[in-house]
Amino acid sequence: MTVKVRFAPSPTGRLHVGNVRTALLNVLFARSQGGAVLLRIDDTDLERSTQENEDAIKADLIWLGLSWDETFKQSERFDKYEAAKQSLIDQGLLYPCYETEDELDRKRKIQRAQSKPPVYDRAALSLTDEDKAKLDAEGRKPHWRFKLSGGRIEWTDLVRGPSHIETSSVSDPILIRADGSYLYTLPSVVDDLDSNVTHIIRGEDHVTNSAAQIEIFEALGGQGSAPAMGHTALLVGADGDKLSKRLGSLSIEDLREIDGYEPMAVCSLLAKIGTSDAVDARDDLQQLADEFEFGKLSRTPARFDPEELKRLNAKLVHAMSYADAQPKLAALDADGGEAVWLTVRPNLTFVKDVIEWVRLIEGPVTPAIADEDADFVSQAGDMLPEGALTGESWSVWTGALKEATGRKGKALFKPLRMALTGQERGPEMAEILPLIGAEKAKARLKGVTV
Ligand code: GLU
């Protein structure tokens, strides 16, 4: 059997960390099996789906390295869904219902008051052809429900293990709304069957849908036609609470454009949280795929901690070669050459943090020298160690200055930093001094803007 998975975003919004984790786990599983990935655009909601969202979702997936082998949109396949609808009607498994939202609400309230579960009472099943003709003549538009078997649906979940749902405790799901639009349930099954999808991996918020879908698979594709299913635990915040609104809607676009994260930091974190593996950065998706196993996924929620994402990002940046960094540096207009990159990278969390360093190194920097420090700073310029500056130069130099002037602590260090960088705060002086170089350092200590 050739493994085939699908990721099925609805282009009604952007990708965020939660749905990217689903995409990632699908891709990792497929790659671990030499299988294929289908990107299905679930745009049956024609009002809320936009081309702009679809393009942005694809751009995000490409940036993350989550490629696909095949893609299509559901809006191109309405004829298939119509045929499936007819097949279910012919089998007596899809029936029209005329209750309004208000009527359904009232029924649920009464059930709750009687301590009964709010399961649809199937009143529409007893409508006669005459009743229906009358309602149609009144201009009432039906919505359509799938008739569940009422039995127990069992499957071995790839993540949750042996699972079951008693369909008697679930309402017959609405597959088609009164306005004729399809909910995702039926089109998804039709497409999974047509595309020969072998594994459905999605969040555990879909578990109840899965039971109904297994019955729809069997109605349309025959016994045993439902793909294997895995339902992953949802993401929670670092404190174990529901993902906050801000984090839950954290878009990949923001992580990329505003924060400047590396795609592999995002993928590494999302692949490792909620698993038995340690959360650590990996250089490429193939490594993550090689390490992927359903058995490692925990049933308890996966904690998404932005601080951990930063830690992984920093680790990737610290190990990034100049060749890999160079295009990014060029785009930031902050390419100071290989030596600068190699010296500076251990201090960075994001590649873009390099900008500040390069600006201080290359200048022009206007030295900030207080009147009362002018003599001291000038003397410091005269006392700069001879020859090329190294990682030790700062401590050798400030040690000698301390001895010569009696200054120490802030009175010693702050005027030097202010003269050399024009700022009160910034990178470690011991590291930046050799990059500034003796010539520029001396000039700045003499008050020259270079
Ligand atoms: N478009 C559906 C969603 O985003 C797909 C669910 C599925 O993976 O089957 O919820």
Side-chain angles (χ1 to χ4, degrees):
M1 177 183 69
T2 318
V3 164
K4 187 166 184 185
V5 300
R6 87 300 195 272
F7 173 53
S10 304
T12 51
R14 300 296 157 99
L15 288 186
H16 51 78
V17 293
N19 49 20
V20 159
R21 180 159 180 262
T22 300
L24 175 68
L25 297 178
N26 273 288
V27 170
L28 295 182
F29 172 62
R31 291 203 188 173
S32 75
Q33 303 295 310
V37 177
L38 161 66
L39 171 64
R40 192 181 80 204
I41 304 295
D42 281 7
D43 59 348
T44 53
D45 184 341
L46 296 173
E47 299 237 310
R48 291 171 57 232
S49 300
T50 69
Q51 186 61 43
E52 197 195 345
N53 284 329
E54 181 185 329
D55 294 344
I57 286 170
K58 287 181 174 167
D60 286 343
L61 292 172
I62 290 169
W63 177 73
L64 289 161
L66 304 179
S67 54
W68 55 91
D69 304 286
E70 190 189 327
T71 183
F72 63 79
K73 293 168 169 303
Q74 290 194 318
S75 58
E76 291 159 356
R77 295 173 44 83
F78 281 119
D79 54 335
K80 306 270 180 200
Y81 310 145
E82 289 298 319
K85 171 184 175 186
Q86 197 52 52
S87 162
L88 293 179
I89 292 174
D90 294 346
Q91 296 180 62
L93 292 173
L94 192 67
Y95 61 97
C97 304
Y98 294 82
E99 293 94 342
T100 62
E101 238 345 285
D102 282 349
E103 282 164 343
L104 290 173
D105 241 10
R106 232 172 297 133
K107 285 190 188 196
R108 284 190 286 260
K109 278 201 189 109
I110 294 169
Q111 285 168 314
R112 254 184 243 114
Q114 297 169 343
S115 305
K116 287 187 190 151
V119 175
Y120 176 60
D121 62 7
R122 292 183 160 175
L125 272 181
S126 37
L127 292 174
T128 62
D129 286 348
E130 219 170 67
D131 296 333
K132 287 185 237 175
K134 202 168 149 230
L135 287 160
D136 287 336
E138 282 170 18
R140 303 268 298 250
K141 296 267 178 274
H143 53 275
W144 295 78
R145 289 189 191 258
F146 178 74
K147 192 172 160 209
L148 292 167
S149 66
R152 169 193 270 237
I153 299 292
E154 294 181 347
W155 74 96
T156 304
D157 198 283
L158 299 163
V159 180
R160 297 154 64 90
S163 304
H164 70 269
I165 296 270
E166 299 293 347
T167 59
S168 55
S169 63
V170 184
S171 295
D172 287 343
I174 298 174
L175 302 190
I176 303 165
R177 299 185 189 92
D179 66 3
S181 65
Y182 286 88
L183 282 106
Y184 96 99
T185 324
L186 176 62
S188 182
V189 170
V190 171
D191 292 339
D192 287 340
L193 279 172
D194 275 2
S195 320
N196 298 314
V197 164
T198 58
H199 294 74
I200 296 179
I201 304 161
R202 56 188 181 185
E204 66 182 9
D205 48 332
H206 283 291
V207 167
T208 313
N209 298 336
S210 291
Q213 284 186 320
I214 289 172
E215 292 205 330
I216 301 173
F217 271 109
E218 307 216 316
L220 296 174
Q223 195 74 24
S225 64
M229 296 195 175
H231 295 90
T232 59
L234 300 181
L235 292 187
V236 293
D239 50 9
D241 287 342
K242 204 168 155 264
L243 216 52
S244 67
K245 194 131 192 235
R246 201 194 94 72
L247 280 184
S249 61
L250 203 58
S251 77
I252 298 304
E253 201 174 13
D254 287 355
L255 291 178
R256 175 180 71 216
E257 304 286 334
I258 300 175
D259 301 327
Y261 278 100
E262 298 303 316
M264 278 311 297
V266 179
C267 289
S268 299
L269 183 72
L270 290 175
K272 294 301 181 193
I273 52 175
T275 75
S276 51
D277 283 345
V279 174
D280 204 353
R282 295 285 181 265
D283 293 328
D284 56 57
L285 284 175
Q286 195 52 50
Q287 279 177 329
L288 291 175
D290 292 343
E291 293 163 1
F292 179 87
E293 275 172 42
F294 279 113
K296 290 180 178 176
L297 289 173
S298 165
R299 289 194 56 173
T300 50
R303 285 170 193 249
F304 179 86
D305 181 354
E307 286 309 311
E308 209 159 29
L309 185 56
K310 270 193 197 150
R311 176 175 70 77
L312 298 191
N313 203 77
K315 195 165 171 189
L316 290 170
V317 173
H318 298 171
M320 194 182 290
S321 69
Y322 178 64
D324 286 344
Q326 202 281 331
K328 302 171 200 263
L329 299 174
L332 292 167
D333 196 18
D335 183 3
E338 181 159 15
V340 169
W341 172 250
L342 294 180
T343 311
V344 166
R345 69 180 182 177
N347 302 285
L348 312 178
T349 302
F350 299 98
V351 171
K352 68 176 182 186
D353 297 345
V354 79
I355 293 173
E356 184 194 11
W357 288 74
V358 170
R359 203 175 51 72
L360 295 184
I361 293 161
E362 302 209 323
V365 164
T366 303
I369 303 173
D371 287 348
E372 66 271 25
D373 294 325
D375 290 344
F376 162 66
V377 169
S378 169
Q379 184 183 358
D382 296 334
M383 285 177 66
L384 258 186
E386 295 296 324
L389 297 174
T390 68
E392 272 78 61
S393 301
W394 173 259
S395 66
V396 171
W397 180 46
T398 53
L401 280 169
K402 183 175 172 184
E403 205 132 292
T405 64
R407 284 187 183 236
K408 56 183 183 193
K410 206 171 161 193
L412 173 64
F413 297 118
K414 193 174 153 196
L416 299 177
R417 175 186 285 282
M418 302 267 294
L420 288 168
T421 69
Q423 297 176 5
E424 268 182 58
R425 256 172 236 89
E428 275 298 315
M429 290 308 298
E431 303 203 33
I432 204 166
L433 182 61
L435 296 172
I436 293 171
E439 200 184 319
K440 261 189 213 159
K442 190 163 263 178
R444 291 179 192 172
L445 293 162
K446 297 291 175 185
V448 181
T449 299
V450 274

